[in-house]
Amino acid sequence: MRITSQLICQAADQLKGFVGLNRKTGRYIVRFSEDAFGMDVADDGIIPASEFVWAPGHEQTMTLKRELIQLLLDQNIDDRINITEPLRVYMQRQEVPEILAVRQWVQG
């Protein structure tokens, strides 16, 4: 199967869980419920993993950040967070620039 940027973006949008910055340790942690972070992560700092990996780019674009995907990979919970083959290929292909995309919400 040929991995396209569209498949990579879809894989990023299918990530599961939530990410929060632990104020005590200064490290990002992943949980599977917004209520599971406790007092060490501010409520307004909890973000779905599928949004965490995207950073604002120029104008209306967003960048799929390898650095942020790596933070999720470092948690060693790939299956639970739903890191799939397209994201693994994206991480391995360092010679290819990070993906810039215009993202739109599609209600399904």
Side-chain angles (χ1 to χ4, degrees):
M1 173 168 94
R2 185 168 175 242
I3 304 294
T4 64
S5 58
Q6 181 179 4
L7 288 174
I8 294 167
C9 291
Q10 287 172 348
D13 288 340
Q14 293 172 358
L15 289 171
K16 297 178 181 174
F18 298 89
V19 180
L21 180 64
N22 184 306
R23 294 181 286 198
K24 288 183 181 179
T25 65
R27 297 184 64 149
Y28 286 99
I29 54 176
V30 176
R31 296 290 185 262
F32 294 93
S33 166
E34 288 183 71
D35 299 330
F37 285 96
M39 300 294 291
D40 294 332
V41 175
D43 287 344
D44 62 355
I46 299 171
I47 184 169
S50 59
E51 292 300 317
F52 174 75
V53 296
W54 291 96
H58 300 292
E59 297 181 14
Q60 295 181 338
T61 64
M62 296 191 86
T63 304
L64 184 56
K65 301 297 286 180
R66 285 188 178 98
E67 173 186 350
L68 300 177
I69 295 170
Q70 187 61 53
L71 287 170
L72 298 180
L73 287 168
D74 291 346
Q75 304 281 323
N76 296 315
I77 51 174
D78 298 8
D79 289 339
R80 287 192 69 201
I81 204 164
N82 198 32
I83 294 177
T84 57
E85 190 62 22
L87 285 177
R88 292 181 202 290
V89 169
Y90 182 60
M91 293 300 290
Q92 293 168 357
R93 301 282 315 268
Q94 296 292 320
E95 74 280 4
V96 176
E98 289 181 317
I99 293 174
L100 294 174
V102 175
R103 298 180 69 223
Q104 299 176 3
W105 289 105
V106 178
Q107 292 191 2

